[in-house]
Amino acid sequence: MMSGVIGYTYQAEKLCPSCTLKTMRANGIKVQKGKPHEDAIRRAAQNLGIDFDDEHSYDSDNFPKPVTEQQCETELTEVPGDKTGTRHAISDERCTGDKCGKWLVLGEKSPSEAALTRYVRDSYELPHALAKRVAGELRRWGLSHPEFIKEKTARQAATMFPHDFATVEFRGNPQQVVMFPTPQADGDVCFYCEMPWEEHMFTCDTCGIDIPALTPHRHQVPVKGQRKLPLVLAP
């Protein structure tokens, strides 16, 4: 008995077990219901005189061939701005069945945009508005499932969007985590994106444009939860 089967190659597609059974039935192949997919497909092969254990004896255009996790091809995702030039590997494939999209190894779909936003917000303690933009960017990069997301990548995505600066220190006795809206010491970085204050972008509430922290601007820029930045007149 074969083990570790996560899907099947059938008629030039990689299909999850459910879509494989559905496609077989649509093609007129009788498949027993109520049985594990491997058992049902093996019985269907016997009925058709196919040696299911010898993949070279039949063509996947005519009958499904099993795919194990080890056979699952790796999807490479290139994250913009990664100075190392690393292409992030996702050792999984999606089912190409009609409107399915399950990851074969994970056996499930990626969460909805709203669910991924909640995951990013809660896992990395981001403000909801920033988490929504970060989640959208991660999905654009192909990192649409929490299983594929690393903290470093999420923080990297956060650097792409204007957001409040927050730095964290331990204060008091007993010590407690205290969050500050401005740097408290040289080298302080933002809790959300791990970048220094000087490299942040803020959004001007008056004109609505994004402004680098050190760029002269003709409006005061109130940042939510923070004191106003000093007024600097453009030359």
Side-chain angles (χ1 to χ4, degrees):
M1 175 69 76
M2 215 172 288
S3 61
V5 175
I6 58 170
Y8 298 86
T9 301
Y10 187 33
Q11 296 186 335
E13 292 195 281
K14 287 282 180 68
L15 302 174
C16 69
S18 295
C19 286
T20 302
L21 297 175
K22 180 180 178 181
T23 304
M24 291 173 68
R25 293 187 179 109
N27 290 337
I29 300 176
K30 292 184 178 180
V31 186
Q32 190 174 6
K33 294 183 179 180
K35 293 284 186 180
H37 61 88
E38 288 186 60
D39 294 341
I41 292 175
R42 183 177 293 275
R43 175 60 64 87
Q46 291 175 350
N47 293 340
L48 294 172
I50 293 172
D51 185 355
F52 190 63
D53 293 319
D54 183 2
E55 295 183 33
H56 300 292
S57 66
Y58 65 97
D59 194 293
S60 61
D61 282 343
N62 302 319
F63 198 83
K65 291 188 176 185
V67 175
T68 64
E69 184 172 345
Q70 291 73 26
Q71 294 171 317
C72 199
E73 294 181 1
T74 297
E75 178 178 316
L76 296 175
T77 298
E78 192 167 353
V79 177
D82 190 336
K83 296 178 182 179
T84 66
T86 303
R87 299 188 74 192
H88 296 250
I90 300 174
S91 301
D92 207 341
E93 291 181 87
R94 291 178 189 264
C95 172
T96 56
D98 184 38
K99 298 180 181 179
C100 180
K102 283 184 180 178
W103 295 96
L104 296 183
V105 175
L106 293 176
E108 62 186 28
K109 295 182 180 181
S110 291
S112 66
E113 185 175 346
L116 190 64
T117 294
R118 290 193 295 271
Y119 170 82
V120 170
R121 179 195 66 194
D122 297 342
S123 296
Y124 307 117
E125 300 182 71
L126 300 180
H128 186 83
L130 178 58
K132 184 175 181 179
R133 300 184 78 173
V134 168
E137 190 66 14
L138 292 172
R139 287 169 67 92
R140 190 175 72 82
W141 293 347
L143 307 175
S144 61
H145 193 285
E147 189 72 20
F148 310 138
I149 299 172
K150 297 180 180 178
E151 181 173 2
K152 178 182 177 182
T153 311
R155 303 291 180 196
Q156 182 177 337
T159 67
M160 302 178 66
F161 305 105
H163 59 273
D164 292 348
F165 181 92
T167 189
V168 172
E169 290 191 2
F170 291 93
R171 296 283 180 94
N173 187 14
Q175 286 194 331
Q176 294 181 333
V177 176
V178 183
M179 189 170 284
F180 295 91
T182 55
Q184 302 298 295
D186 291 343
D188 276 356
V189 296
C190 179
F191 174 76
Y192 303 131
C193 68
E194 300 180 345
M195 297 294 286
W197 186 89
E198 293 80 5
E199 296 184 35
H200 265 62
M201 293 278 286
F202 297 102
T203 301
C204 175
D205 281 355
T206 303
C207 60
I209 66 172
D210 297 339
I211 309 144
L214 298 182
T215 298
H217 187 64
R218 63 193 179 92
H219 300 125
Q220 288 181 308
V221 186
V223 181
K224 286 185 179 179
Q226 301 179 201
R227 61 172 179 261
K228 290 183 178 180
L229 302 178
L231 176 63
V232 181
L233 296 177

